């Protein structure tokens, strides 16, 4: 099993930046990719970005591409989400998750392990 702990959320004004971290522990050797998702009240969980563990290949949602950057630190088993130029519609609980081979990067139900989430609130 993989345990994930997100951190770095908070309250920022529109146009500001936040950097989220996701520290992984446990059976990380089985991970194929890690992703970030977000969920606002009354909304479905939404794909944000993902990174393939082996080579760092990334995938972004259209709404975040150009503003958000996902990265990883292999030695620390940590994935980051740098969020710049934040907008009010970015307000949500952000979750990191791990996926094994065969997952569909944009689909949250194909991810096996999830963190508890960190709240990001963007005021306008």
């Amino acid at each position: 099993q993989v345990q994930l702990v997100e951190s770095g959320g908070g309250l920022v004004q529109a146009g500001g930046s936040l950097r989220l971290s996701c520290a992984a522990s446990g059976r990380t050797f089985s991970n194929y990719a890690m992703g970030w998702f977000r969920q606002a009240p009354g909304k479905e969980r939404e794909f944000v970005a993902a990174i393939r563990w082996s080579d760092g290949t990334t995938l972004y949602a259209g709404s975040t591409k150009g503003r958000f950057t996902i990265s990883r630190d292999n030695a620390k088993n940590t994935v980051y989400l740098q969020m710049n130029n934040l907008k009010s519609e970015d307000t949500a609980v952000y979750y990191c998750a791990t996926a094994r081979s065969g997952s569909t990067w944009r689909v949250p139900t194909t991810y096996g392990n999830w963190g508890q989430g960190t709240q990001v609130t963007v005021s306008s």
Side-chain angles (χ1 to χ4, degrees):
Q1 297 295 324
V2 178
Q3 297 173 337
L4 304 173
V5 179
E6 302 100 330
S7 62
L11 173 64
V12 298
Q13 292 185 328
S17 298
L18 282 175
R19 188 195 191 202
L20 306 183
S21 299
C22 176
S25 62
R27 200 171 299 177
T28 58
F29 61 85
S30 64
N31 293 342
Y32 172 72
M34 295 188 67
W36 286 96
F37 294 79
R38 64 189 183 186
Q39 188 166 23
K43 303 292 185 180
E44 295 292 319
R45 192 162 295 189
E46 176 188 25
F47 173 77
V48 176
I51 185 167
R52 189 157 60 196
W53 199 252
S54 60
D55 62 3
T57 299
T58 58
L59 179 69
Y60 295 92
S63 61
T64 61
K65 187 176 183 179
R67 299 187 297 121
F68 291 10
T69 302
I70 187 171
S71 62
R72 55 162 166 68
D73 186 329
N74 294 44
K76 296 181 179 180
N77 290 316
T78 300
V79 172
Y80 306 95
L81 184 68
Q82 178 67 46
M83 305 185 294
N84 298 324
N85 192 24
L86 284 162
K87 304 175 181 179
S88 59
E89 55 261 41
D90 296 318
T91 295
V93 177
Y94 283 70
Y95 300 89
C96 68
T98 62
R100 299 181 67 183
S101 179
S103 68
T104 303
W105 285 21
R106 293 181 177 272
V107 181
T109 54
T110 65
Y111 286 70
N113 294 281
W114 294 83
Q116 66 183 41
T118 184
Q119 177 70 47
V120 172
T121 303
V122 183
S123 61
S124 59

